[in-house]
Amino acid sequence: LEKARLSPPDLIVSDILMPVMDGYALCRHWKSDEQLKHIPFVFYTATYTENKDEDFALSLGADRFIIKPQEPDIFMDMINKLFNEKCPANQVQAMPLGEEMEFFRKHNKFLFEKLEKKMLDLEIANGDIRKLEERYRLSFEHVTDVISIIDTDLNILSISPSVERVLGYKPEDFIGRSVADLEKTLTPESFEQAVADTVLILKGETISATIYRFIAKDGTTRYGEVSGSPITRDGRIIGLISVARDITDSRQTAEKLKKSEEKYRGILENIDDAYYELDLEGNLVFFNEALILKTGYSREELVGMNYRQYMSPGSSKYISKVFSGIYGTGQQVRLFDYEIIMKSGQVRYFESWADLLTDNKNQPVGFKGMARDITARKQAEQNLQNTLGSLRKAFSTTVQVMVSAVEARDPYTAGHQKRTADLARAIATEMKLPQEKVDGIRMAGSIHDIGKLSIPAEILSKPSRLTDIEFSLIKEHARQGYEILKDVESPWPLAQIVYQHHERMNGSGYPRNLKGDEILTEARIMAVADVVESMASYRPYRPALGINAALEEIEKNKGILYDDAVADACLRLFREKDFKL
């Protein structure tokens, strides 16, 4: 009241059951004071919880009556509402003597009822305390940490039996002796630290998690994590309590891990590949010396730098997708390529793997990975591709020369080869064969009758039916084509395709009567394309039979002469996809 009159507050929140002056009496004085009665008065109590208690409080002029406990946010909401209502605080007038006596009667009744209950509660609490004391004694005797209590004269009053398990000494080796006798159980540095900490605790400070090195009875060194705090009574320090936890095993494990970390960090710093760790936003948080060397930036420049700052726009977008995939699935991604732009502006190529970086709770905190400079390999691959391109052009030129040679002797054969090649390529594409095979089939198709160079031109262009001898010579063109091509360097089995393109699935073909899986897939495709083009086109010895007749032949003999899958693909091309020769 005195402090409030000197500096009136905006609000008072008061308990009821208090020493010297209880809350009811305080509210009565407060609301009768001309200087204070306009200030809101709030009761906050856990003892006075009945309706009559609240009614009595409100009759004294209290503005709110709140039952403990309340969540802080709910309590503050009540207080804010009291301010926001902007209503004048409850005020009461001085009571006549009779009413004043009635107030004291009710006041004393309420007070004594609660005091009786408090006394009962206190008795119950004392019983609980006795139980807790017994529980504490049992806990003290069986606790794994070493607990010691020391008085202000630095004499050891008690120490838990666990000291024997940790250090090998019995409690009676210490109880009643001075703290100075602990010197034999500590290294010199730790003993000095213990003396200094004891002085601080006796001054009222608390010491937490200080590491001491203890010397056990058997001479081994053990590590303890020690906390200490003063023991007070009536505001006066009467001693101190300390708790020492044996952390020898975890300490040794940590030192093993530290050595391993230093070892592997040394390895990281000396390998040629770049190691990096990024946070979830893509900023560098850790990296080895190799990354500095491979980017040209200094360590200071790289710390905190986002990966997008040293990558080309295309690579940056691609890497963003890679990291999103890793974050979403938790799966490592291996061997993806991207471009790094060095500080000098030079572009270099890297190959990397990346994985999630997690904390000790296995929660993602970023990404980690290693990157290898593959610029030299990329350049070699590009040179190889250029060389292969040149070789392909040279090979194509050689094939074109062969085609021209056939065309010079037999224009009909030359046109047939080209159309057969186009159809064979379309069938292979319809069958979804790899592009490399499709290219080989097209190339083989354009020269599949090259063996006819060895056949007299008059037989090739003879307008009448061939004799048996002439037909036998014609049938040799597959073998002759193989002989011409067998020593030609090629990424495709051209010689074998040419050799087998007149073989049939049932073994009735020529020149070797191969059947089934003995025939290359490319040769099976070539066989169907060759028959369709031959039947559909004009020949010197007969008119064109037409595409319908050719397709009927394929359909009738699929699975017998011709491969099922190849025949079906060919039929789809003409009947469903409107292919034209």
Side-chain angles (χ1 to χ4, degrees):
L1 279 171
E2 291 173 359
K3 289 183 178 180
R5 288 172 180 137
L6 290 173
S7 178
D10 296 306
L11 169 78
I12 183 167
V13 180
S14 174
D15 206 338
I16 295 178
L17 194 60
M18 301 184 295
V20 183
M21 178 182 285
D22 62 272
Y24 285 142
L26 174 62
C27 182
R28 174 69 177 163
H29 284 286
W30 188 273
K31 289 298 183 177
S32 300
D33 191 294
E34 289 298 321
Q35 188 179 2
L36 302 176
K37 64 183 180 181
H38 66 282
I39 298 172
F41 190 104
V42 176
F43 277 117
Y44 190 43
T45 178
T47 303
Y48 293 78
T49 58
E50 299 177 16
N51 290 337
K52 62 179 182 178
D53 299 331
E54 181 177 358
D55 293 341
F56 185 61
L58 296 177
S59 72
L60 299 177
D63 296 275
R64 290 288 186 277
F65 191 89
I66 302 173
I67 304 298
K68 291 180 183 177
Q70 297 288 342
E71 290 295 325
D73 54 344
I74 296 175
F75 180 78
M76 291 308 298
D77 186 54
M78 293 177 176
I79 298 302
N80 286 328
K81 285 181 179 177
L82 176 60
F83 279 117
N84 292 334
E85 286 175 1
K86 297 182 179 177
C87 296
N90 293 335
Q91 301 179 30
V92 295
Q93 300 296 325
M95 295 181 180
L97 179 60
E99 293 183 16
E100 192 75 13
M101 294 301 294
E102 178 63 17
F103 159 72
F104 284 117
R105 186 188 68 77
K106 287 183 178 180
H107 171 265
N108 290 338
K109 180 175 180 294
F110 282 125
L111 194 63
F112 283 119
E113 284 178 353
K114 298 304 178 183
L115 283 175
E116 286 177 355
K117 185 177 184 304
K118 278 292 180 181
M119 292 298 292
L120 178 61
D121 291 343
L122 185 60
E123 182 59 32
I124 294 172
N126 285 334
D128 292 339
I129 288 173
R130 285 190 291 272
K131 291 178 183 178
L132 287 174
E133 285 177 346
E134 177 63 16
R135 191 178 301 168
Y136 168 76
R137 184 186 64 77
L138 292 173
S139 298
F140 187 78
E141 291 177 356
H142 296 92
V143 71
T144 56
D145 295 342
V146 178
I147 302 174
S148 55
I149 298 175
I150 301 169
D151 64 19
T152 53
D153 294 326
L154 301 183
N155 295 315
I156 301 171
L157 300 179
S158 65
I159 191 165
S160 60
S162 54
V163 69
E164 184 173 5
R165 180 186 60 81
V166 176
L167 296 178
Y169 293 100
K170 295 182 180 297
E172 49 266 32
D173 293 333
F174 300 103
I175 295 174
R177 305 182 68 174
S178 170
V179 168
D181 292 330
L182 292 175
E183 185 173 6
K184 65 181 180 180
T185 65
L186 291 164
T187 63
E189 298 83 2
S190 292
F191 182 73
E192 289 183 12
Q193 182 67 47
V195 171
D197 289 344
T198 300
V199 171
L200 290 175
I201 294 171
L202 292 177
K203 287 182 178 179
E205 297 189 24
T206 297
I207 303 300
S208 61
T210 303
I211 307 299
Y212 290 175
R213 293 175 64 193
F214 291 91
I215 302 173
K217 191 173 183 179
D218 62 5
T220 59
T221 300
R222 304 196 66 81
Y223 291 89
E225 184 180 76
V226 180
S227 301
S229 60
I231 301 172
T232 61
R233 182 182 297 161
D234 298 330
R236 184 171 60 86
I237 296 174
I238 61 171
L240 64 88
I241 183 170
S242 73
V243 179
R245 174 163 296 174
D246 186 2
I247 60 167
T248 305
D249 292 341
S250 60
R251 180 82 176 200
Q252 289 174 344
T253 301
E255 290 176 352
K256 288 172 192 175
L257 289 174
K258 183 178 180 182
K259 289 178 182 177
S260 296
E261 182 181 347
E262 290 173 352
K263 175 183 175 181
Y264 289 113
R265 189 176 292 269
I267 292 173
L268 278 178
E269 290 299 335
N270 289 287
I271 61 175
D272 186 57
D273 292 345
Y275 176 81
Y276 59 86
E277 292 180 1
L278 308 169
D279 62 21
L280 291 175
E281 283 72 44
N283 303 310
L284 279 167
V285 295
F286 176 76
F287 47 87
N288 64 354
E289 189 69 21
L291 188 67
I292 298 172
L293 297 175
K294 293 180 186 300
T295 61
Y297 290 96
S298 68
R299 182 174 292 275
E300 292 72 22
E301 289 172 318
L302 284 173
V303 171
M305 182 183 288
N306 193 279
Y307 69 86
R308 297 173 180 84
Q309 295 176 253
Y310 53 81
M311 284 188 184
S312 65
S315 290
S316 175
K317 189 174 181 180
Y318 169 62
I319 295 300
S320 178
K321 290 182 179 178
V322 171
F323 285 154
S324 294
I326 293 172
Y327 185 83
T329 64
Q331 298 297 313
Q332 183 186 98
V333 175
R334 297 189 64 82
L335 303 182
F336 53 93
D337 297 355
Y338 51 91
E339 295 174 345
I340 289 286
I341 302 176
M342 298 183 68
K343 186 177 181 180
S344 63
Q346 179 187 5
V347 176
R348 299 193 70 81
Y349 297 91
F350 281 76
E351 180 181 76
S352 181
W353 65 261
D355 201 355
L356 267 183
L357 184 66
T358 57
D359 59 16
N360 55 9
K361 296 180 181 178
N362 205 33
Q363 295 300 307
V365 295
F367 307 94
K368 63 182 177 181
M370 295 191 75
R372 174 170 295 173
D373 190 334
I374 59 169
T375 305
R377 191 182 83 192
K378 280 281 188 182
Q379 291 171 344
E381 288 174 354
Q382 186 59 52
N383 292 338
L384 179 59
Q385 289 299 321
N386 293 339
T387 301
L388 287 175
S390 299
L391 290 173
R392 286 177 186 272
K393 288 180 182 178
F395 184 75
S396 296
T397 302
T398 302
V399 170
Q400 190 56 46
V401 170
M402 294 178 181
V403 172
S404 298
V406 174
E407 186 174 7
R409 296 188 72 247
D410 182 11
Y412 294 109
T413 298
H416 164 68
Q417 288 188 134
K418 182 180 183 307
R419 290 188 294 275
T420 300
D422 290 342
L423 177 54
R425 177 175 58 182
I427 292 172
T429 302
E430 177 68 17
M431 292 174 67
K432 296 182 171 52
L433 295 185
Q435 187 59 44
E436 189 69 14
K437 278 201 172 190
V438 174
D439 292 341
I441 288 169
R442 180 190 63 80
M443 190 65 71
S446 65
I447 57 171
H448 73 278
D449 279 342
I450 194 169
K452 290 182 178 180
L453 286 171
S454 64
I455 300 172
E458 56 270 21
I459 294 178
L460 294 174
S461 58
K462 184 179 178 179
S464 60
R465 186 178 181 84
L466 297 176
T467 67
D468 290 343
I469 294 175
E470 289 171 336
F471 187 63
S472 295
L473 288 173
I474 289 287
K475 289 170 70 174
E476 279 296 304
H477 79 279
R479 189 187 307 277
Q480 292 298 327
Y482 170 73
E483 293 297 329
I484 293 171
L485 296 171
K486 67 180 182 180
D487 295 322
V488 175
E489 292 290 337
S490 165
W492 309 290
L494 297 180
Q496 285 296 336
I497 297 172
V498 169
Y499 203 4
Q500 298 176 17
H501 79 278
H502 277 291
E503 302 288 355
R504 296 295 181 256
M505 296 298 289
N506 63 359
S508 64
Y510 64 85
R512 292 182 289 165
N513 303 115
L514 301 178
K515 61 183 178 180
D517 291 340
E518 296 174 339
I519 306 170
L520 291 175
T521 299
E522 295 93 324
R524 300 181 205 180
I525 293 172
M526 198 63 60
V528 171
D530 185 42
V531 168
V532 171
E533 200 290 324
S534 296
M535 291 183 66
S537 301
Y538 167 81
R539 287 292 180 272
Y541 51 86
R542 63 157 172 79
L545 300 176
I547 189 65
N548 290 332
L551 296 179
E552 287 174 7
E553 161 65 18
I554 298 301
E555 188 168 38
K556 181 177 67 175
N557 287 298
K558 75 171 185 173
I560 302 171
L561 303 180
Y562 315 114
D563 179 275
D564 274 316
V566 176
D568 288 339
C570 178
L571 294 172
R572 284 197 303 273
L573 283 175
F574 285 97
R575 290 177 176 173
E576 299 176 18
K577 302 190 177 180
D578 201 28
F579 183 85
K580 297 288 190 299
L581 281 172

